[in-house]
Amino acid sequence: MKSLAELQAIREKTLNRINLRKEEGEATRVVIGMATCGIAAGARPVMLSFMDEIQKRGLQHVTVSQTGCIGMCRLEPMVDVIVPGQEKVTYVHMTPEKVGRVVAEHIVNGRPVEEYTIGAAEK
């Protein structure tokens, strides 16, 4: 059983998250494919790396979420970066080692890392 103070802290934390979601319309979204194929290919460490990198840099308007099957299992782990007002960029064969560069170049500086994208993988 939680104490009243602990429950109040949980309530406040939850309300803050809800309020952040209301503001997320202008947030950059990082969406990781976490279906069976994505997980088997290593999507979980990729997701954790994105969360760590975003937190380490103190990026306020970036959310990390997961989705089910994206439909291209051979390209997993796949990550979509969705910046408001711009076209979605899909990164393929992602690894935790690639995450820092995607965050620095794409999310922070607005320049997608072309060699990690689906367009480069299809060549």
Side-chain angles (χ1 to χ4, degrees), residues 106-118:
H106 188 171
I107 296 173
V108 173
N109 293 316
R111 294 184 311 267
V113 183
E114 295 294 332
E115 64 262 29
Y116 297 167
T117 64
I118 194 166

Side-chain angles (χ1 to χ4, degrees), residues 4-123:
L4 189 56
E6 289 174 311
L7 291 172
Q8 184 64 28
I10 292 169
R11 180 180 185 272
E12 288 179 26
K13 186 176 180 180
T14 303
L15 287 174
N16 286 336
R17 285 185 181 168
I18 290 169
N19 289 336
L20 279 176
R21 286 185 190 144
K22 289 178 184 174
E23 298 170 6
E24 284 177 4
E26 293 301 314
T28 295
R29 294 182 352 184
V30 177
V31 182
I32 295 130
M34 292 286 286
T36 307
C37 54
I39 293 169
R44 185 162 185 75
V46 169
M47 181 179 72
L48 295 173
S49 293
F50 267 105
M51 292 169 65
D52 289 344
E53 188 71 23
I54 288 164
Q55 182 180 19
K56 184 171 48 175
R57 291 174 173 270
L59 301 176
Q60 297 296 313
H61 295 290
V62 180
T63 62
V64 177
S65 61
Q66 56 189 10
T67 191
C69 183
I70 297 174
M72 295 180 277
C73 300
R74 66 187 172 80
L75 300 175
E76 293 286 358
M78 293 178 65
V79 175
D80 288 332
V81 175
I82 304 161
V83 177
Q86 297 180 16
E87 193 170 323
K88 171 182 76 173
V89 176
T90 300
Y91 292 101
V92 297
H93 301 297
M94 282 299 295
T95 64
E97 295 76 24
K98 294 178 181 178
V99 169
R101 185 168 173 208
V102 170
V103 171
E105 292 186 27
H106 188 171
I107 296 173
V108 173
N109 293 316
R111 294 184 311 267
V113 183
E114 295 294 332
E115 64 262 29
Y116 297 167
T117 64
I118 194 166
E122 296 295 312
K123 289 181 182 177

